[in-house]
Amino acid sequence: MNTSRKVFDIKQYIRSIPDYPKPGIIFRDITTLLASAHGLRAAVDELIWPFLNEDIDYVIGIEARGFILGGAVAHELGKGFVPIRKKGKLPWKVIGKDYELEYGVDRIEVHADAISQGDKVLLVDDLIATGGTANAAIDLIRESGGDLVAAAFVIDLPDLGGAERLRQKGVKVHTLVEFEGA
Ligand code: AMP
């Protein structure tokens, strides 16, 4: 049995699917990472390590893959979890934000009373590409009065510039692995 875990290669557990959901896109599929006991634990460990001594009130995850990772991160940090969902899914009063997709516009929402003035929050999602989704989530957090500690992602697609754009806005960005291209 190999018990050494010097540098665990998270990247090898991520499946790359060319031309999904459309030609030219390489879909970075984390279901294979989540299905691996070692992969999932390593990913959650690596996501949380910069924040072990940070003052955080909530972990916020973006639907849907951000729920899986964000829920695990919240549990490991001993914090509560707040979901940001796609339009029309949350049952209580919401505030929402439209954001641009490649074709058209989408909307994400958070419960209006989920975050209070001054709450310190950590945003989690599986992947940052253009940063449009994360940017809309950050706008929602800030409109709610939340204080964004950082945004954490398993995967960065640096060629699409999202992480860099967030950093230029003064957001602390933590990512685990990078893939070239879109
Ligand atoms: P963006 O708003 O462009 O940063 O896109 C980030 C969101 O879209 C994340 O929630 C990802 O789950 C999803 N996404 C974008 N590009 C990919 C990709 N190549 N593979 C898997 N998911 C992606």
Side-chain angles (χ1 to χ4, degrees):
M1 188 184 186
N2 180 8
T3 55
S4 70
R5 189 189 152 245
K6 283 199 182 100
V7 179
F8 186 91
D9 185 8
I10 289 170
K11 205 170 178 177
Q12 68 165 340
Y13 285 84
I14 298 165
R15 176 164 54 191
S16 293
I17 305 169
D19 298 322
Y20 183 89
K22 55 186 182 195
I25 302 288
I26 305 174
F27 192 85
R28 307 299 178 177
D29 176 21
I30 63 157
T31 63
T32 40
L33 176 73
L34 299 175
S36 158
H38 296 109
L40 176 58
R41 180 162 295 265
V44 174
D45 280 355
E46 296 303 320
L47 281 172
I48 68 171
W49 76 261
F51 310 112
L52 286 172
N53 296 317
E54 286 277 346
D55 186 9
I56 289 168
D57 295 298
Y58 295 108
V59 175
I60 303 206
I62 305 172
E63 186 171 359
R65 283 163 273 162
F67 289 0
I68 303 163
L69 294 161
V73 165
H75 179 76
E76 284 295 309
L77 289 174
K79 307 300 175 188
F81 177 80
V82 171
I84 286 184
R85 298 209 63 180
K86 304 276 166 60
K87 184 182 172 181
K89 302 274 191 173
L90 286 167
W92 186 239
K93 289 172 196 153
V94 297
I95 57 169
K97 194 90 205 168
D98 291 332
Y99 63 101
E100 303 267 330
L101 296 172
E102 206 174 338
Y103 302 102
V105 177
D106 214 340
R107 187 174 180 81
I108 50 172
E109 296 176 339
V110 68
H111 274 147
D113 60 358
I115 305 165
S116 302
Q117 196 67 38
D119 281 344
K120 294 184 170 54
V121 307
L122 172 65
L123 180 67
V124 174
D125 202 1
D126 66 324
L127 180 148
I128 182 155
T130 65
T133 314
N135 205 46
I138 290 166
D139 284 349
L140 273 185
I141 289 165
R142 289 183 169 155
E143 274 170 36
S144 302
D147 177 4
L148 184 71
V149 173
F153 308 87
V154 172
I155 303 166
D156 181 18
L157 304 184
D159 295 346
L160 298 183
E164 191 49 40
R165 269 192 282 280
L166 292 193
R167 288 190 181 103
Q168 276 167 13
K169 282 178 60 172
V171 174
K172 223 187 269 176
V173 182
H174 175 49
T175 64
L176 308 187
V177 302
E178 293 185 356
F179 287 97
E180 280 177 18

